[in-house]
Every structure is written in structure tokens, then in C-alpha cells.
Amino acid sequence: MHLLNADLHSHSTASDGSLSPSELARRAHAGGVQLWALTDHDELAGQAEAAAEARRLGMVYIPGVEVSVTFAGETVHILGLDVDPAHPALVQGLHELRAGREGRARAMGESLARAGIPGAYEGALAYAENPELVSRTHFARFLVDHGHCSSVHEVFQRYLKEGKPGFVEHRWAGLGEALGWIRAAGGVAAIAHPARYRFSPTAEYALFSEFKEHGGQGVEVTCASHFPDEVAKYADMAREFGLLASRGSDFHAPGESRVEPGSLPDLPGKVTPIWSLWQDRLPAQRAPAPLCDA
């Protein structure tokens, strides 16, 4: 197994997380994270704060972003890691994506109003520090706090999934377009939480094939939404497609996220970790625990 405690997928108040970038850095450090990336949705505003606090704490920091992509009618998230947060192509591309998010959020509010929940857009907006990034998570927090559901998970099941009253379809960036921004900014692209997408085996194979053709280099193998059999599956797919394996908690908020930063299982030993690209920046990996006699 690869024993570096890396968390290369997390979210702050710059998108739909509940902690500021510096608060999130401190939480990651408290969880034992050695290599950390803040990857807010379609947003780079938290990068300077996150990097400064991570370095103050002694963590190795990787600038990141999670880009929303439409592929075969499904929303797919692509992680851009080790990007230049000031690169014009990436900055402009993300700006255009955020403009689309605002229209989608207003349409979600209108849809929920027709379902008997007025004021949802304004309510969700109050939970978002970045008004350009009102997301389904912000709507979910509003609906929970105002007694419409008991948990964020329930909100998604009842209101925000496809076919439910608050779901609004939206076309995001194209796969090649998003990877072009990431590569132009000097970054490495990785498919985030692939088990979450509702693809047939044929469509999933097409996603991995086209991702590779466009210069994609990684896939998230170990993450909060992957069960052990899925970790094994995507470790095998990483090897089949010649992709590097990533690891990330996808942390959003205390008490809301499935796992805490730093608490994920290690990557399987049969994959090559994506952080092998940054070997010269990394701390020494911890040694395996010694075996004890029974």
C-alpha cells in the first residue's frame, strides 16, 4: 500500500464547503494529512489562503480545482491538480462556468417554489459565501435547517436528483474543453469519484477512453463515496488505462461529509499514486505498522 496521507479533494466556503480555506487546512492537518489540495467547484478564489495556511502548518500543498463537465448526458467532475491558479485560460473558463451556475440556481428555486417551497433560491443564497456558486448543497442546507427534510441526503433523494421537483439539468464544460484549461494551466487532470456516475459499462469505457485521449492522467481510486469493491474496480481501471491513482475525502462540512480529512484507507499497492509526479516535494512516507505476536 502507498502510505502517504494525501487528501487531494476537498471543498471550502469558496464553493460549497462550510469551512474557510484556512479552517479546512487546519482540519486536514489535525487529521494527519501530509499532502493536501483544496479543489473547490469551478472556483480558485480560496487558493492563496489555503496554500498559506497549509505551508504554515507544514503540509505540502497542491493547488487544485474541481471542474464540472457534461459527458454523455451526465455531470462528471474532473479534478485539476497542481494548476496555476492565475492562468488566464483556466480563470476565464471557470468564470464562464460560474455564470451558468447562477441561472441554474434561480431555475432550481423556481422549480421548488412550484413544489410548495417558496424562497428557496434566496434561502440557499444566504448559505453561499460566493454568490456565483449557489449549488445543490446550499439548497440542501436551507431545506434541512427550515424543516423540510431531516438530512442533506434526504433532500437530494426527495428534491434534487433527476426527476425530482428541484432538479434542473444544465450543460457544463465539454470534457476536452475542461482538460484543455487544466493542461494549459500546467495541471494534471483526474476523474473524480467515478463510481458515482450512472454510466453503462460502455459509456464508462468511453469516458475513460476519451479522457485519456484528451491528455487526462489520473483517476480517484480511494474516496469517501467508494466502497471496497469499487476501490478495487477503479484500481484495475487505472492500470488498464495507464492512469495514476488519486485519493481524496471530498470533504464539505463537519457532520455532513462521510469521512474526515486524513481518515481514508490507503491506496491499493498495485496502482501508481498521482503524487509520484511531485516526488521531490513530498515528505517521507510512514513505515507500515510492525506485526505483533498474538
Side-chain angles (χ1 to χ4, degrees):
M1 289 187 176
H2 301 283
L3 301 176
L4 182 74
N5 195 338
D7 189 343
L8 299 174
H9 187 173
S10 59
H11 301 275
S12 75
T13 50
S15 64
D16 60 347
S18 70
L19 302 180
S20 71
S22 55
E23 289 171 329
L24 185 54
R26 290 191 287 273
R27 198 173 190 94
H29 182 258
V33 173
Q34 299 162 286
L35 176 69
W36 180 57
L38 175 65
T39 55
D40 278 312
H41 292 286
D42 307 320
E43 179 58 87
L44 297 161
Q47 289 302 309
E49 181 183 340
E53 186 65 5
R55 289 164 184 154
R56 186 188 72 81
L57 293 166
M59 290 188 292
V60 178
Y61 185 71
I62 300 296
V65 65
E66 187 172 14
V67 185
S68 304
V69 164
T70 299
F71 183 87
E74 182 84 5
T75 298
V76 172
H77 291 155
I78 301 296
L79 296 169
L81 299 172
D82 204 25
V83 295
D84 173 4
H87 192 278
L90 181 60
V91 170
Q92 180 60 29
L94 297 179
H95 173 73
E96 293 171 3
L97 276 184
R98 293 195 299 275
R101 278 183 173 272
E102 182 180 1
R104 177 201 188 211
R106 290 184 181 276
M108 288 170 63
E110 293 167 3
S111 181
L112 287 167
R114 292 193 293 271
I117 305 175
Y121 171 73
E122 294 76 12
L125 185 61
Y127 287 76
E129 289 203 7
N130 186 341
E132 289 187 323
L133 282 168
V134 181
S135 71
R136 291 190 299 170
T137 302
H138 297 121
F139 278 94
R141 290 172 184 155
F142 167 76
L143 292 175
V144 169
D145 288 351
H146 287 76
H148 297 284
C149 293
S150 61
S151 68
V152 167
H153 177 74
E154 183 186 349
V155 174
F156 274 82
Q157 297 300 312
R158 288 182 58 186
Y159 293 106
L160 301 180
K161 291 178 66 176
E162 186 173 358
K164 300 301 181 180
F167 177 81
V168 174
E169 188 173 2
H170 183 76
R171 181 159 184 84
W172 305 107
L175 182 62
E177 186 179 28
L179 266 69
W181 300 338
I182 292 167
R183 294 178 65 196
V188 180
I191 301 170
H193 42 59
R196 281 176 45 179
Y197 310 127
R198 299 168 300 168
F199 287 133
S200 67
T202 300
E204 182 177 66
Y205 195 89
L207 169 65
F208 274 71
S209 298
E210 291 192 29
F211 175 78
K212 181 75 173 180
E213 289 171 8
H214 286 299
Q217 292 179 259
V219 59
E220 201 167 52
V221 170
T222 301
C223 62
S225 55
H226 282 184
F227 293 104
D229 61 328
E230 293 166 336
V231 171
K233 172 186 174 179
Y234 291 105
D236 287 341
M237 290 191 73
R239 296 182 67 188
E240 178 182 356
F241 284 89
L243 297 173
L244 302 169
S246 194
R247 176 183 191 257
S249 64
D250 197 9
F251 183 84
H252 284 74
E256 184 179 293
S257 298
R258 294 185 183 183
V259 299
E260 284 284 326
S263 64
L264 284 169
D266 293 309
L267 283 178
K270 61 185 177 181
V271 298
T272 301
I274 201 164
W275 52 84
S276 64
L277 297 172
W278 313 308
Q279 200 64 45
D280 59 335
R281 306 182 217 173
L282 300 181
Q285 296 189 31
R286 67 183 189 273
L291 297 176
C292 299
D293 294 333

